[in-house]
Amino acid sequence: MKGIVFDFDGLILDTETIWYHAFREAFEQHQLDLPLQTFASFVGTHGGAFNTYLKKVAGTKEKLETIRRVADDLHREKIKEVEARDGVRDYLATAKELGLRIGLASSSNRAWVEGFLRQLQLLPYFEVIKTADDVERVKPDPELYVKAVSALHLSPDEVLAFEDSAAGAKAAKAAGLQCVIVPNPVTMDLLFESYDWRLESMAQYPLTHVLAKLDRKWGEGSRGPL
């Protein structure tokens, strides 16, 4: 393994759980319900699908704008004190020590991703960052991963992806990468169609342990999730 590509939202920083609580509270102010399973189904893709759902549920333009404004305000407050998910800093530090090339592939826009990476003081770890600004199609399309791997000057079979969503894992596998999923509270019950290993958090095992496990698995010719 020569490189690692990380997702951002929900994996490095759990923005998704915060967004869910923010929108749920905004919905409740209008006596509306936002089931977790429904919200989770939109995670890891472009925002258009959720916006379509939001318009349908809101019913009126005025209510739609109010829900969005309230959710944005709540999210802005809730995320102020949020830290990187457990184990993220250790994985990045270990990857750098091992000499692995480090990239990021996110369906969010560049300003959003880089703004939080600066806030968390993680931006210097990443050689390559590919976002929605760089592609025509975001996840589950593999284009983000294809471009990230190419920019790292590696081949897909030399790169490991870390993802928290089903759409992200699908994109990584379609691009030819091995993929470790690390679901968050919003995505933990999603159906993941294809992946190589599942972790509860990056604090569960050191990165060196994960890399060794995957090397053994592929050396033995196995193709099923560990």
Side-chain angles (χ1 to χ4, degrees):
M1 199 63 62
K2 296 182 180 180
I4 295 181
V5 178
F6 292 83
D7 175 44
F8 177 70
D9 287 286
L11 181 84
I12 291 177
L13 184 67
D14 192 4
T15 57
E16 291 163 355
T17 299
I18 298 172
W19 272 124
Y20 171 64
H21 288 295
F23 270 108
R24 188 182 66 180
E25 290 179 34
F27 270 47
E28 288 173 349
Q29 291 184 18
H30 293 276
Q31 291 74 53
L32 297 171
D33 183 36
L34 179 60
L36 176 57
Q37 186 175 9
T38 298
F39 182 83
S41 68
F42 298 110
V43 169
T45 63
H46 60 82
F50 181 66
N51 287 334
T52 299
Y53 170 79
L54 188 55
K55 289 176 183 178
K56 180 180 179 180
V57 173
T60 67
K61 183 179 180 181
E62 181 180 356
K63 188 180 292 187
L64 171 65
E65 291 176 350
T66 300
I67 290 173
R68 281 177 171 162
R69 183 176 64 253
V70 170
D72 284 345
D73 290 344
L74 287 168
H75 186 273
R76 194 175 300 112
E77 287 303 312
K78 291 175 182 292
I79 206 166
K80 283 181 179 178
E81 305 301 324
V82 174
E83 247 296 348
R85 287 185 68 189
D86 289 347
V88 168
R89 293 183 185 278
D90 289 338
Y91 271 40
L92 286 169
T94 300
K96 186 173 183 179
E97 290 170 5
L98 293 173
L100 299 177
R101 309 202 68 175
I102 305 173
L104 185 146
S106 172
S107 292
S108 295
N109 64 61
R110 183 172 297 274
W112 171 269
V113 171
E114 292 191 353
F116 281 115
L117 289 176
R118 287 192 186 92
Q119 179 180 319
L120 296 168
Q121 298 183 332
L122 297 177
L123 186 59
Y125 281 106
F126 295 93
E127 297 178 49
V128 168
I129 293 177
K130 295 298 179 182
T131 71
D133 298 339
D134 302 305
V135 296
E136 293 183 9
R137 298 169 300 277
V138 296
K139 305 169 189 176
D141 190 280
E143 187 178 6
L144 275 164
Y145 276 106
V146 170
K147 289 199 170 183
V149 170
S150 176
L152 288 171
H153 303 291
L154 297 173
S155 61
D157 60 359
E158 296 174 319
V159 182
L160 172 63
F162 282 90
E163 275 286 351
D164 71 292
S165 73
K170 184 177 181 179
K173 293 301 292 180
L177 284 68
Q178 293 187 56
C179 181
V180 172
I181 60 170
V182 194
N184 59 56
V186 167
T187 61
M188 62 187 301
D189 292 324
L190 290 177
L191 176 62
F192 288 82
E193 296 177 3
S194 181
Y195 59 94
D196 297 287
W197 201 10
R198 179 176 182 138
L199 300 177
E200 298 307 313
S201 85
M202 292 186 209
Q204 186 176 358
Y205 295 108
L207 177 60
T208 50
H209 179 84
V210 173
L211 295 174
K213 272 279 192 180
L214 290 173
D215 281 345
R216 284 201 300 274
K217 173 197 169 186
W218 288 96
E220 293 166 0
S222 171
R223 292 297 182 269
L226 291 173

